[in-house]
Amino acid sequence: MPKENRNKNATQLPEVKSEKQKRTYQDLLKGNRNWVKAETEKDPSFFDKLAAGQEPDVLWIGCSDSRVPANEVTNTRPGQVFVHRNIANVCLHSDMNILSVLDYAVNVLKVKHVIVSGHYGCGGVAAALSNQQFGLIDNWLRHIKDVYRLHSHELDRITDHQSKLNRLVELNVVEQVYNLCKTTIVQNAWRERDDLELHGWVIDLKTGLVKDLKVTTKSTENVGKVFKLDESKLK
Ligand code: CO
């Protein structure tokens, strides 16, 4: 391809499909400029402080759902909450993404609280409760079907679909907190310090309020014997 054509292609913008699409994108950039302006007016050194580093005390593991942003829900500011989100707030010991976030938060940032935060009306949990196929995501949601299996005695007895779904949302959070307890990252941290707590929450989208599921834990007390690991000999 001649040089001038390559350059032409490189600067060509993708075709804008509709006015609405164009507006949405431009609104994001405008929103960013407005945010910078508002923060700077409140505190001229705000961005200097942000750029200097972070010392969050909290790791938030939440759902990717656009309605449950960590900072807004907890009324916290940039720099206060380290965040990981995925569909239906699943905490898997074979997921390099969440393990990397957890390891960094616990061992480098030394966060004091890890909060698994689910929400009622979670589409991921609803999909897992159904028998429909949704595509690739079915493999991710299979883990929530396993949560159902673990608690089928309780869940099978709930006849109202909405109540069953709400309870599965709660039980999913509880099991994900226990999944975190089973990781070497958390168990080794508990050996070294006593100020790391795990918590389970559910957000009610209709009120915005958080329900603390009272599964706060700072030891392997509630974890089955087979998951309790001896101190590593690989040091
Ligand atoms: Co969700």
Side-chain angles (χ1 to χ4, degrees):
M1 188 186 287
K3 201 173 173 220
E4 58 273 23
N5 282 357
R6 273 211 312 272
N7 283 347
K8 192 178 163 218
N9 284 345
T11 54
Q12 218 167 28
L13 291 170
E15 189 195 349
V16 174
K17 295 276 188 296
S18 69
E19 274 308 306
K20 184 177 179 291
Q21 183 182 353
K22 195 174 165 185
R23 246 195 342 268
T24 303
Y25 182 69
Q26 290 305 328
D27 282 351
L28 295 178
L29 292 169
K30 195 174 159 210
N32 169 255
R33 288 191 297 270
N34 290 343
W35 173 64
V36 169
K37 189 165 173 275
E39 293 294 356
T40 311
E41 274 168 11
K42 269 188 282 178
D43 176 5
S45 62
F46 179 77
F47 289 101
D48 291 332
K49 287 185 216 156
L50 267 197
Q54 60 168 342
E55 286 182 346
D57 281 329
V58 179
L59 166 62
W60 165 285
I61 300 172
C63 183
S64 297
D65 193 302
S66 61
R67 298 166 294 178
V68 284
N71 283 126
E72 280 85 345
V73 168
T74 55
N75 198 23
T76 47
R77 303 282 291 143
Q80 288 186 283
V81 184
F82 202 61
V83 175
H84 177 85
R85 291 167 73 178
N86 64 44
I87 292 173
N89 39 272
V90 175
C91 305
L92 286 187
H93 63 281
S94 54
D95 174 6
M96 278 303 292
N97 190 346
I98 199 167
L99 290 179
S100 303
V101 171
L102 182 67
D103 186 47
Y104 189 78
V106 168
N107 291 318
V108 180
L109 298 173
K110 307 276 185 200
V111 298
K112 309 289 188 287
H113 304 276
V114 178
I115 300 166
V116 179
S117 187
H119 64 101
Y120 296 124
C122 183
V125 175
L129 187 57
S130 83
N131 299 102
Q132 253 182 283
Q133 282 195 34
F134 295 90
L136 181 73
I137 197 176
D138 297 333
N139 299 288
W140 183 253
L141 300 176
R142 256 286 308 278
H143 299 291
I144 302 171
K145 288 186 188 285
D146 289 337
V147 171
Y148 190 106
R149 181 170 53 84
L150 279 172
H151 296 274
S152 58
H153 185 67
E154 176 186 346
L155 290 164
D156 280 345
R157 283 186 304 186
I158 305 175
T159 48
D160 176 61
H161 182 75
Q162 195 57 48
S163 306
K164 191 188 288 244
L165 185 54
N166 288 349
R167 187 61 185 141
L168 184 55
V169 164
E170 294 176 355
L171 291 170
N172 180 45
V173 169
V174 172
E175 287 302 327
Q176 304 313 328
V177 171
Y178 291 151
N179 279 348
L180 293 178
C181 296
K182 296 168 193 167
T183 62
T184 51
I185 297 165
V186 167
Q187 291 195 22
N188 287 335
W190 277 336
R191 255 185 211 104
E192 288 163 16
R193 58 191 178 105
D194 61 3
D195 62 351
L196 174 66
E197 290 186 340
L198 311 186
H199 313 270
W201 288 3
V202 175
I203 302 159
D204 187 339
L205 292 176
K206 288 180 183 157
T207 62
L209 292 170
V210 159
K211 177 178 179 182
D212 185 340
L213 294 177
K214 307 255 189 304
V215 287
T216 294
T217 175
K218 51 194 299 183
S219 74
T220 52
E221 195 181 19
N222 297 318
V223 172
K225 187 169 178 283
V226 76
F227 294 107
K228 292 183 188 179
L229 303 166
D230 292 338
E231 195 165 355
S232 173
K233 292 194 168 59
L234 302 174
K235 282 181 179 172

